[in-house]
Amino acid sequence: STASGFAMMGPCDDDNIQTDDDCTVFCKDLANGMKWSGTMKGPSTKITECNCTFQASAADIRNGLPSENEYTCTRETPKEPPVSITEDCEQRDISDWPDCRAECSALAAGRGHAARFDGGRGNISACYCTYGYNRENSFTCNREPTPPPPIPQPQTRSVKCSESGISDQDTCFAFCTEYQRTAQYVGTANGLLKCRCRLGEGGPVNFECDGDQDSYLRSG
């Protein structure tokens, strides 16, 4: 028989509809050759609503049947309790910011998520992640940062940057980064004045050297 002139509504489970594909197959069979369109709500593997509209044939319409027909089913999805995970970062091989961000994305599995970290980008001390459709789930891990390597300290009181291969902003940043410090460059249009390496952003100065311009400005 031709499925025309109907409006059906009920639980999706009664028609064994759980996924987008289930909805598509069911509506296609129900259309029985009619033109149809469908919409789904909720996750593709566990939809909460399947809605299909069907266009009756011209012959059915001439016989007085409705031109628009509809099928709708719904499902109440039980809310899962929020997940809260606290671990040692080493259990998931998390040691830097890219690791933290990748783990958060994997936990979200296509849902919304936000990540942040403590410590240095390449040597974090903690990773924090919230994820889920409403970011109701959380993941936290902690680790002892790897101690940064010591910077070789020249024996002279006045340290010239050139002795450490530092001549400009780029070499200043490269030198401090090599020893996992935060660089602070001080200079003018004439060149380098000082290069400082700090233990973290705004931390204590762990290394400082003078550029050639420093002595020039003092004498002038």
Side-chain angles (χ1 to χ4, degrees), residues 141-157:
C141 75
N142 297 278
R143 67 185 290 270
E144 285 294 328
T146 305
I151 297 179
Q153 298 293 333
Q155 299 301 313
T156 57
R157 290 185 60 190

Side-chain angles (χ1 to χ4, degrees), residues 14-206:
D14 287 357
D15 294 315
N16 197 30
I17 297 174
Q18 298 184 20
T19 68
D20 281 357
D21 289 342
D22 293 339
C23 178
T24 300
V25 170
F26 185 86
C27 291
K28 186 176 181 180
D29 290 343
L30 197 60
N32 194 26
M34 289 188 292
K35 293 181 179 179
W36 66 280
S37 62
T39 59
M40 303 85 169
K41 294 182 180 178
S44 61
T45 58
K46 201 172 185 180
I47 63 175
T48 57
E49 182 177 308
C50 170
N51 176 265
C52 300
T53 56
F54 308 90
Q55 180 69 49
S57 66
D60 288 335
I61 295 173
R62 283 196 299 270
N63 289 331
L65 292 175
S67 59
E68 291 290 336
N69 307 280
E70 185 174 9
Y71 167 83
T72 302
C73 77
T74 57
R75 172 188 293 106
E76 288 293 332
T77 303
K79 292 185 178 180
E80 298 179 355
V83 174
S84 180
I85 304 171
T86 302
E87 293 181 352
D88 189 313
C89 292
E90 303 298 338
Q91 291 180 249
R92 299 187 182 231
D93 294 326
I94 298 173
S95 61
D96 56 24
W97 170 229
D99 292 342
C100 175
R101 190 169 49 192
E103 183 64 28
C104 189
S105 178
L107 288 168
R111 296 166 292 176
H113 63 281
R116 62 184 179 87
F117 69 95
D118 287 341
R121 290 177 63 90
N123 190 23
I124 68 173
S125 58
C127 171
Y128 308 96
C129 172
T130 55
Y131 61 97
Y133 293 108
N134 296 307
R135 295 185 184 171
E136 68 277 14
N137 306 306
S138 65
F139 166 79
T140 301
C141 75
N142 297 278
R143 67 185 290 270
E144 285 294 328
T146 305
I151 297 179
Q153 298 293 333
Q155 299 301 313
T156 57
R157 290 185 60 190
S158 177
V159 181
K160 286 295 181 184
C161 293
S162 57
E163 296 175 10
S164 300
I166 300 171
S167 59
D168 54 20
Q169 184 173 358
D170 290 342
T171 51
C172 173
F173 274 70
F175 179 85
C176 293
T177 301
E178 179 182 355
Y179 293 100
Q180 298 178 21
R181 267 71 167 183
T182 300
Q184 180 186 8
Y185 170 82
V186 182
T188 68
N190 293 323
L192 172 69
L193 295 179
K194 288 184 182 294
C195 175
R196 299 186 180 102
C197 299
R198 296 181 177 274
L199 288 170
E201 194 73 35
V205 175
N206 191 240

